[in-house]
Amino acid sequence: MREGLQEDLDELCSGIQEEGHIAAQAVSEATRALVDWSVDAFEATVAAEDLLRHHYQLTEQRVESILARQAPVASDLRLVLALLHINRSLERAAHNAARVAHLATPPPRRALVEEAVITDALRAMGERGAEMIRTAMDALERRDANATRLLATLDELVDRENAKIADTILAIDITDPELRQWSSRMLFAGRWLERIGDHAVNVAERTTYMVAGPQPPTAER
């Protein structure tokens, strides 16, 4: 191995793991902001997105430096390319978390029965999304080639909750414009939380590619 390459790769891996921690925290805080209307959680989500964006740029710079100076090959090259894609997925997950936090607003009719169904599903999606990111990052650290199957199973649970939200909202006879606006915001929140699950699956797919090679994974979701 070229002198300094392993140190560069270790630094790259460490930075990505830190990004995963920040992204999972952003999703947890965004979920709290959405369903509990917590201002502190909203501010924490925005701060986490800003911090992850900074790490994202550092990772891109590290990848460019490694490719230019070290010209890695074989498994080392797969590692660098996988982490480059994972870097993007984590940045997108944090960005979607910020989108979720910005949709937070109390429902106009607190007595609405469907409200509990929607908010419970959103909370479950957010908690599952954060868990998926942590699971994907753990699989990356362990170099688990079976990570994709596990994350795909978890993603199905997130998709079911999102479908429940959509079905519940579509079944509501919405004549109140405030209720219509709130429902629309929650529908979008479900969509962004569902995308976070997809990004976690992308991390797992890149891990599988990195470990198993040589065929690249499917296109990112």
Side-chain angles (χ1 to χ4, degrees), residues 49-123:
E49 184 198 15
D50 289 342
L51 180 58
L52 201 145
R53 189 180 297 116
H54 172 69
H55 280 271
Y56 169 80
Q57 293 169 349
L58 286 178
T59 295
E60 282 208 327
Q61 293 168 6
R62 286 170 178 157
V63 168
E64 290 174 0
S65 176
I66 291 172
L67 292 175
R69 293 186 299 103
Q70 303 287 3
V73 296
S75 61
D76 290 334
L77 179 59
R78 285 204 307 272
L79 169 62
V80 173
L81 294 179
L83 294 183
L84 180 63
H85 286 283
I86 289 171
N87 184 45
R88 180 61 172 172
S89 292
L90 293 174
E91 186 273 337
R92 288 289 84 194
H95 181 63
N96 286 338
R99 284 171 159 171
V100 169
H102 277 90
L103 289 170
T105 185
R109 293 165 54 188
R110 298 299 304 280
L112 184 68
V113 174
E114 291 84 355
E115 176 208 338
V117 176
I118 294 168
T119 55
D120 286 351
L122 288 169
R123 189 187 299 276

Side-chain angles (χ1 to χ4, degrees), residues 1-197:
M1 179 175 290
R2 294 172 181 83
E3 183 179 355
L5 176 56
Q6 188 59 58
E7 183 178 346
D8 289 343
L9 294 177
D10 290 345
E11 182 180 45
L12 185 61
C13 291
S14 177
I16 286 290
Q17 286 295 331
E18 178 63 20
E19 285 186 39
H21 173 75
I22 297 169
Q25 187 66 24
V27 176
S28 294
E29 294 293 352
T31 304
R32 195 161 65 90
L34 180 69
V35 299
D36 296 335
W37 322 311
S38 167
V39 174
D40 290 343
F42 172 82
E43 293 175 347
T45 305
V46 173
E49 184 198 15
D50 289 342
L51 180 58
L52 201 145
R53 189 180 297 116
H54 172 69
H55 280 271
Y56 169 80
Q57 293 169 349
L58 286 178
T59 295
E60 282 208 327
Q61 293 168 6
R62 286 170 178 157
V63 168
E64 290 174 0
S65 176
I66 291 172
L67 292 175
R69 293 186 299 103
Q70 303 287 3
V73 296
S75 61
D76 290 334
L77 179 59
R78 285 204 307 272
L79 169 62
V80 173
L81 294 179
L83 294 183
L84 180 63
H85 286 283
I86 289 171
N87 184 45
R88 180 61 172 172
S89 292
L90 293 174
E91 186 273 337
R92 288 289 84 194
H95 181 63
N96 286 338
R99 284 171 159 171
V100 169
H102 277 90
L103 289 170
T105 185
R109 293 165 54 188
R110 298 299 304 280
L112 184 68
V113 174
E114 291 84 355
E115 176 208 338
V117 176
I118 294 168
T119 55
D120 286 351
L122 288 169
R123 189 187 299 276
M125 289 182 72
E127 292 174 351
R128 183 74 67 184
E131 176 192 355
M132 288 178 68
I133 292 175
R134 289 191 290 267
T135 300
M137 298 310 297
D138 179 65
L140 172 62
E141 188 171 26
R142 292 184 291 104
R143 305 294 193 264
D144 183 359
N146 297 314
T148 299
R149 289 198 294 270
L150 172 60
L151 268 293
T153 299
L154 295 175
D155 193 43
E156 288 180 5
L157 300 177
V158 172
D159 291 345
R160 288 176 193 170
E161 294 294 340
N162 191 37
K164 183 191 300 183
I165 291 169
D167 291 344
T168 302
I169 289 175
L170 290 174
I172 299 174
D173 181 16
I174 302 178
T175 56
D176 183 343
E178 290 186 1
L179 180 57
R180 185 184 305 116
Q181 183 182 41
W182 178 81
S183 298
S184 297
R185 292 170 75 92
M186 297 307 103
L187 195 62
F188 276 111
R191 174 55 179 159
W192 298 133
L193 288 171
E194 187 268 338
R195 290 291 293 135
I196 288 169

